[in-house]
Amino acid sequence: MKLLFKQRFFSWFDSYDIYGEDGSPLFAVEGKLSWGHRLEIYNSQHEYMGRIQEEVFTFLPRFQMYVGENYIGNIQKEFTLFRPAFELDCNGWRIEGNFLEWDYTIIDNRGNVVAGVSKQIWNWTDTYVIDVIDPVNILFCLMIVLAIDAAKCSSGK
């Protein structure tokens, strides 16, 4: 299942709209006033689904992920010299990507692809296509993409 992840053009805080392949809205992500990034995820009926919360006072960006109010894991940017990398502590998954952090793959602990993510570069705002293999993993994959995008924002990219 493919998702189109688009940042809103006019927004005081990071806000995004997530659309399905047919163009129907699936999720809305709203940035909230907070120390560090706090992104809340709502479904198309505006029911709260979860959030990404940046931990403050860390050397590199680190984000906690919550489904409802239940902590499910975190993602942290790793210190590397040439190739950006992220450490994911959620479901036994890992992230592999290219040098510019624009295209990457989420892989499970058996080596199977969970989702592929690619950035569309000719848009006014951050726009990603997320190709999720199993629809059960949509929310987790969305949280990972949100955290990586927010980490890039935190580092000034």
Side-chain angles (χ1 to χ4, degrees), residues 35 54-60 62:
W35 290 100
E54 183 175 13
E55 292 181 29
V56 293
F57 307 118
T58 57
F59 178 65
L60 294 169
R62 181 178 24 212

Side-chain angles (χ1 to χ4, degrees), residues 107-131:
I107 299 170
D108 70 14
N109 57 0
R110 294 183 307 268
N112 299 319
V113 173
V114 175
V117 181
S118 60
K119 184 173 183 177
Q120 296 179 339
I121 58 174
W122 302 112
N123 290 299
W124 289 100
T125 61
D126 287 343
T127 303
Y128 296 90
V129 174
I130 309 169
D131 189 7

Side-chain angles (χ1 to χ4, degrees), residues 120-148:
Q120 296 179 339
I121 58 174
W122 302 112
N123 290 299
W124 289 100
T125 61
D126 287 343
T127 303
Y128 296 90
V129 174
I130 309 169
D131 189 7
V132 182
I133 304 304
D134 185 349
V136 170
N137 296 319
I138 287 175
L139 185 58
F140 291 155
C141 294
L142 177 58
M143 290 179 165
I144 292 166
V145 174
L146 285 166
I148 291 173

